[in-house]
Amino acid sequence: MNFLEQHIVNEGIILGDKVLKVDNFLNHQIDIVVMKQLAEEMKCRFAGVEVTKILTIEASGIAIATMLASLYGVPLVFAKKETTINSTDDKYTAESYSFTHQKTNVVSVSKPYLQAGEKVLIVDDFLADGYAMSALTDIVAQAGATVSGIGIAIEKGQQKGGSLLRSKGFHLESIAIIERMDHISNTITFKGQEPQPMRRKIGLCK
Amino acid sequence: MNFLEQHIVNEGIILGDKVLKVDNFLNHQIDIVVMKQLAEEMKCRFAGVEVTKILTIEASGIAIATMLASLYGVPLVFAKKETTINSTDDKYTAESYSFTHQKTNVVSVSKPYLQAGEKVLIVDDFLADGYAMSALTDIVAQAGATVSGIGIAIEKGQQKGGSLLRSKGFHLESIAIIERMDHISNTITFKGQEPQPMRRKIGLCK
């Protein structure tokens, strides 16, 4: 197991065969050491790839994106999920269904912040069915920019997002790929590995 | 003018006497160099103050909070504005009205991520009427933790949040305090300074 898989086994909680809760270090409380490791690992995996901007989507992708932007020394942009009154710019938009929030969002990036010719590294904490990442790749294309790669902390390999994005030719790197979660036996199986017992279980520990 | 005031004058756009748009470096596109400077300036201003956790609220506070957490070597927690299906923990909650989004949010932090005795540095990008920051200080109190300080990038000094929080005895540090914005003359006045002409104006540049 790599560092992220180890954190998932130690601190994650399986809430169902599709839902993994990692609020202890990634989605609510953020372990800054894990963020640094994630950013360094992603930069390593995209070695030799040109990156002029980091793109993520609010909210929990912003921490990883910030660490990556700091490593690369480039700006980051976070796509927004709703319109605010400060929003006067023309926008690139795409629709994205959120399983976690059980609704369809309009994802947007204001046009001035994504220019033709930019080399964009897209990052996020989770990849499941790929709606959010597809929306971001669509927005990058609308801008006439190029997707340098897609960096994901945790890919749910049993859902379709990863194969969808890879089949479109994107360079996708996921630091942990989950092949199976079983909430009855409370085990998790990472790609190419044996099932691992989770340390925590819902209702037993907080 | 300090570095942040200079960025506001160079890149900000006054949309009305209450609304300053800084999407170019703080709220949508994020200038990572400015983030580093902000985090270093805040750590300097809170020198000698014990900090065991950084607390912010989604979404645009997360970048500054990440840089600060990295400097302090402590975890960060971002308060959430709505409930997701992954959310099984008991929560501390408080209400907050968002002028930008024109609605009242229930702000929450799951109880495991804020413990009694913690020393919490609260950070955010903007302080206006102080609803979000008041909600966060309320949540810290509910947890039996202590507010070490409140670090803000841009305080709108013409609105009540700053005086409200200072009158409650909180150690509040704002890196730029705006005393007046005039969208007719397109000038901005920082605390203790002369009015400054803004470089950009809505409709003239993107």
Side-chain angles (χ1 to χ4, degrees):
Chain A
M1 285 191 286
N2 68 25
F3 71 95
L4 183 58
E5 292 164 344
Q6 194 69 62
H7 274 280
I8 293 167
V9 163
N10 289 347
E11 300 175 48
I13 298 175
I14 294 174
L15 296 184
D17 292 346
K18 275 187 152 190
V19 182
L20 173 69
K21 185 173 139 170
V22 286
D23 276 8
N24 198 50
F25 65 95
L26 189 63
N27 285 141
H28 186 14
Q29 177 166 254
I30 293 172
D31 184 325
I32 200 72
V33 177
V34 176
M35 289 305 109
K36 282 182 186 166
Q37 287 177 296
L38 274 173
E40 282 162 7
E41 178 67 22
M42 284 186 189
K43 188 156 189 270
C44 183
R45 293 200 186 188
F46 291 106
V49 174
E50 192 185 359
V51 175
T52 64
K53 191 160 279 182
I54 308 293
L55 176 64
T56 189
I57 184 167
E58 61 182 1
S60 47
I62 298 175
I64 305 173
T66 302
M67 296 308 287
L68 259 180
S70 178
L71 271 185
Y72 277 98
V74 300
L76 69 118
V77 171
F78 63 92
K80 303 199 174 188
K81 290 179 184 165
E82 58 179 326
T83 302
T84 68
I85 59 166
N86 293 7
S87 184
T88 54
D89 292 309
D90 283 342
K91 291 179 188 62
Y92 303 111
T93 62
E95 285 197 350
S96 167
Y97 177 75
S98 168
F99 176 75
T100 314
H101 294 90
Q102 305 258 306
K103 67 178 181 188
T104 297
N105 292 304
V106 174
V107 175
S108 69
V109 172
S110 295
K111 291 188 177 180
Y113 310 125
L114 212 47
Q115 302 282 336
E118 290 208 84
K119 311 293 183 191
V120 182
L121 180 56
I122 300 174
V123 295
D124 207 0
D125 53 346
F126 267 99
L127 175 65
D129 286 324
Y131 298 115
M133 291 304 95
S134 293
L136 294 187
T137 61
D138 190 28
I139 281 171
V140 171
Q142 289 175 44
T146 307
V147 176
S148 295
I150 302 172
I152 298 291
I154 303 175
E155 177 182 337
K156 293 173 170 172
Q158 72 277 48
Q159 289 177 250
K160 68 185 183 208
S163 52
L164 178 80
L165 292 167
R166 287 183 183 96
S167 73
K168 288 183 176 173
F170 291 112
H171 178 185
L172 169 64
E173 293 283 350
S174 302
I175 312 306
I177 302 179
I178 297 168
E179 288 204 329
R180 187 156 184 268
M181 290 191 289
D182 181 343
H183 78 282
I184 305 294
S185 65
N186 200 34
T187 57
I188 193 164
T189 310
F190 297 109
K191 189 180 174 187
Q193 300 179 28
E194 294 299 305
Q196 294 283 345
M198 299 290 281
R199 294 272 175 88
R200 297 171 66 184
K201 191 165 184 158
I202 184 164
L204 287 181
C205 5
K206 292 274 179 182
Chain B
M1 284 189 287
N2 68 25
F3 70 96
L4 183 59
E5 292 163 344
Q6 195 68 62
H7 274 280
I8 293 168
V9 164
N10 288 347
E11 300 175 50
I13 298 174
I14 295 174
L15 296 183
D17 293 345
K18 276 187 154 190
V19 182
L20 173 71
K21 185 173 138 168
V22 285
D23 276 8
N24 199 50
F25 65 95
L26 189 62
N27 284 141
H28 187 14
Q29 177 166 254
I30 293 173
D31 184 326
I32 201 71
V33 177
V34 176
M35 289 306 109
K36 282 181 186 168
Q37 288 177 295
L38 273 173
E40 283 162 7
E41 178 66 22
M42 284 185 189
K43 190 158 188 270
C44 183
R45 293 201 187 187
F46 291 106
V49 174
E50 192 184 358
V51 175
T52 65
K53 191 159 281 182
I54 307 292
L55 176 65
T56 189
I57 185 167
E58 59 183 1
S60 48
I62 297 176
I64 305 174
T66 302
M67 297 307 287
L68 258 180
S70 179
L71 271 185
Y72 277 98
V74 300
L76 69 117
V77 171
F78 64 92
K80 302 199 175 191
K81 289 179 184 166
E82 58 179 326
T83 302
T84 70
I85 59 166
N86 293 8
S87 184
T88 55
D89 292 309
D90 282 343
K91 290 178 189 60
Y92 303 111
T93 62
E95 286 197 351
S96 167
Y97 177 75
S98 167
F99 176 75
T100 313
H101 294 90
Q102 305 258 304
K103 67 179 181 186
T104 297
N105 292 305
V106 174
V107 175
S108 69
V109 173
S110 295
K111 291 189 177 180
Y113 310 125
L114 212 46
Q115 303 282 335
E118 289 208 85
K119 311 293 183 191
V120 182
L121 180 57
I122 300 174
V123 295
D124 207 0
D125 53 346
F126 268 99
L127 175 66
D129 286 325
Y131 298 115
M133 292 303 96
S134 292
L136 294 187
T137 60
D138 190 28
I139 281 172
V140 172
Q142 289 175 43
T146 307
V147 176
S148 296
I150 303 171
I152 298 290
I154 303 175
E155 176 182 337
K156 293 173 171 173
Q158 72 277 49
Q159 289 177 251
K160 67 185 184 207
S163 52
L164 178 79
L165 293 167
R166 288 184 182 95
S167 74
K168 287 182 175 174
F170 292 113
H171 178 184
L172 169 65
E173 292 284 349
S174 302
I175 312 306
I177 302 179
I178 297 169
E179 287 204 330
R180 186 155 185 267
M181 289 191 289
D182 181 344
H183 79 282
I184 306 294
S185 66
N186 200 34
T187 56
I188 193 164
T189 310
F190 297 109
K191 189 180 175 187
Q193 299 179 29
E194 293 299 305
Q196 295 282 344
M198 299 291 280
R199 293 272 175 87
R200 297 171 65 185
K201 190 166 183 156
I202 183 163
L204 287 181
C205 4
K206 290 274 178 182

mmCIF file of all heavy atoms in Angstrom, chain A residues 132-147:
data_model
loop_
_atom_site.group_PDB
_atom_site.id
_atom_site.type_symbol
_atom_site.label_atom_id
_atom_site.label_comp_id
_atom_site.label_asym_id
_atom_site.label_seq_id
_atom_site.Cartn_x
_atom_site.Cartn_y
_atom_site.Cartn_z
ATOM 1 N N ALA A 132 -17.938 15.440 -12.881
ATOM 2 C CA ALA A 132 -17.264 16.718 -12.613
ATOM 3 C C ALA A 132 -16.020 16.861 -13.491
ATOM 4 O O ALA A 132 -15.777 17.926 -14.080
ATOM 5 C CB ALA A 132 -16.884 16.822 -11.137
ATOM 6 N N MET A 133 -15.236 15.789 -13.607
ATOM 7 C CA MET A 133 -14.012 15.869 -14.419
ATOM 8 C C MET A 133 -14.353 16.050 -15.898
ATOM 9 O O MET A 133 -13.666 16.781 -16.618
ATOM 10 C CB MET A 133 -13.144 14.620 -14.207
ATOM 11 C CG MET A 133 -12.513 14.510 -12.826
ATOM 12 S SD MET A 133 -11.494 15.950 -12.345
ATOM 13 C CE MET A 133 -12.684 16.913 -11.418
ATOM 14 N N SER A 134 -15.413 15.388 -16.362
ATOM 15 C CA SER A 134 -15.825 15.585 -17.755
ATOM 16 C C SER A 134 -16.245 17.023 -17.999
ATOM 17 O O SER A 134 -15.946 17.607 -19.040
ATOM 18 C CB SER A 134 -16.985 14.643 -18.104
ATOM 19 O OG SER A 134 -16.537 13.307 -18.092
ATOM 20 N N ALA A 135 -16.940 17.606 -17.012
ATOM 21 C CA ALA A 135 -17.343 19.008 -17.140
ATOM 22 C C ALA A 135 -16.111 19.910 -17.238
ATOM 23 O O ALA A 135 -16.058 20.821 -18.064
ATOM 24 C CB ALA A 135 -18.219 19.421 -15.952
ATOM 25 N N LEU A 136 -15.088 19.617 -16.424
ATOM 26 C CA LEU A 136 -13.878 20.457 -16.457
ATOM 27 C C LEU A 136 -13.100 20.281 -17.764
ATOM 28 O O LEU A 136 -12.612 21.268 -18.333
ATOM 29 C CB LEU A 136 -12.971 20.153 -15.251
ATOM 30 C CG LEU A 136 -13.537 20.516 -13.873
ATOM 31 C CD1 LEU A 136 -12.474 20.324 -12.788
ATOM 32 C CD2 LEU A 136 -14.072 21.943 -13.821
ATOM 33 N N THR A 137 -13.008 19.054 -18.272
ATOM 34 C CA THR A 137 -12.303 18.868 -19.550
ATOM 35 C C THR A 137 -13.068 19.569 -20.675
ATOM 36 O O THR A 137 -12.460 20.142 -21.581
ATOM 37 C CB THR A 137 -12.115 17.372 -19.909
ATOM 38 O OG1 THR A 137 -13.393 16.743 -20.034
ATOM 39 C CG2 THR A 137 -11.286 16.651 -18.869
ATOM 40 N N ASP A 138 -14.388 19.556 -20.586
ATOM 41 C CA ASP A 138 -15.222 20.243 -21.564
ATOM 42 C C ASP A 138 -14.962 21.757 -21.533
ATOM 43 O O ASP A 138 -14.813 22.414 -22.575
ATOM 44 C CB ASP A 138 -16.691 19.922 -21.233
ATOM 45 C CG ASP A 138 -17.641 20.389 -22.308
ATOM 46 O OD1 ASP A 138 -17.216 20.457 -23.478
ATOM 47 O OD2 ASP A 138 -18.799 20.705 -21.989
ATOM 48 N N ILE A 139 -14.855 22.287 -20.319
ATOM 49 C CA ILE A 139 -14.601 23.725 -20.149
ATOM 50 C C ILE A 139 -13.220 24.100 -20.697
ATOM 51 O O ILE A 139 -13.053 25.134 -21.356
ATOM 52 C CB ILE A 139 -14.779 24.108 -18.657
ATOM 53 C CG1 ILE A 139 -16.290 24.233 -18.347
ATOM 54 C CG2 ILE A 139 -14.026 25.376 -18.295
ATOM 55 C CD1 ILE A 139 -16.624 24.404 -16.878
ATOM 56 N N VAL A 140 -12.235 23.259 -20.440
ATOM 57 C CA VAL A 140 -10.875 23.521 -20.962
ATOM 58 C C VAL A 140 -10.910 23.544 -22.496
ATOM 59 O O VAL A 140 -10.312 24.426 -23.131
ATOM 60 C CB VAL A 140 -9.865 22.466 -20.457
ATOM 61 C CG1 VAL A 140 -8.517 22.601 -21.163
ATOM 62 C CG2 VAL A 140 -9.682 22.587 -18.942
ATOM 63 N N ALA A 141 -11.656 22.613 -23.076
ATOM 64 C CA ALA A 141 -11.772 22.579 -24.543
ATOM 65 C C ALA A 141 -12.474 23.823 -25.070
ATOM 66 O O ALA A 141 -12.053 24.411 -26.075
ATOM 67 C CB ALA A 141 -12.516 21.313 -24.970
ATOM 68 N N GLN A 142 -13.534 24.241 -24.400
ATOM 69 C CA GLN A 142 -14.243 25.458 -24.809
ATOM 70 C C GLN A 142 -13.303 26.665 -24.854
ATOM 71 O O GLN A 142 -13.442 27.552 -25.690
ATOM 72 C CB GLN A 142 -15.386 25.777 -23.841
ATOM 73 C CG GLN A 142 -16.593 24.835 -23.911
ATOM 74 C CD GLN A 142 -17.617 25.161 -22.822
ATOM 75 O OE1 GLN A 142 -17.931 26.326 -22.575
ATOM 76 N NE2 GLN A 142 -18.134 24.141 -22.158
ATOM 77 N N ALA A 143 -12.348 26.683 -23.909
ATOM 78 C CA ALA A 143 -11.417 27.817 -23.823
ATOM 79 C C ALA A 143 -10.314 27.741 -24.873
ATOM 80 O O ALA A 143 -9.534 28.673 -25.018
ATOM 81 C CB ALA A 143 -10.794 27.856 -22.419
ATOM 82 N N GLY A 144 -10.233 26.609 -25.583
ATOM 83 C CA GLY A 144 -9.129 26.438 -26.525
ATOM 84 C C GLY A 144 -7.824 26.125 -25.829
ATOM 85 O O GLY A 144 -6.741 26.271 -26.402
ATOM 86 N N ALA A 145 -7.925 25.699 -24.579
ATOM 87 C CA ALA A 145 -6.731 25.291 -23.819
ATOM 88 C C ALA A 145 -6.587 23.776 -23.918
ATOM 89 O O ALA A 145 -7.440 23.093 -24.499
ATOM 90 C CB ALA A 145 -6.857 25.742 -22.366
ATOM 91 N N THR A 146 -5.494 23.260 -23.364
ATOM 92 C CA THR A 146 -5.203 21.826 -23.443
ATOM 93 C C THR A 146 -5.175 21.213 -22.051
ATOM 94 O O THR A 146 -4.640 21.821 -21.123
ATOM 95 C CB THR A 146 -3.811 21.614 -24.084
ATOM 96 O OG1 THR A 146 -3.773 22.326 -25.321
ATOM 97 C CG2 THR A 146 -3.537 20.137 -24.335
ATOM 98 N N VAL A 147 -5.725 20.016 -21.930
ATOM 99 C CA VAL A 147 -5.625 19.279 -20.671
ATOM 100 C C VAL A 147 -4.269 18.572 -20.632
ATOM 101 O O VAL A 147 -4.020 17.646 -21.406
ATOM 102 C CB VAL A 147 -6.764 18.244 -20.538
ATOM 103 C CG1 VAL A 147 -6.588 17.415 -19.256
ATOM 104 C CG2 VAL A 147 -8.132 18.929 -20.541
#
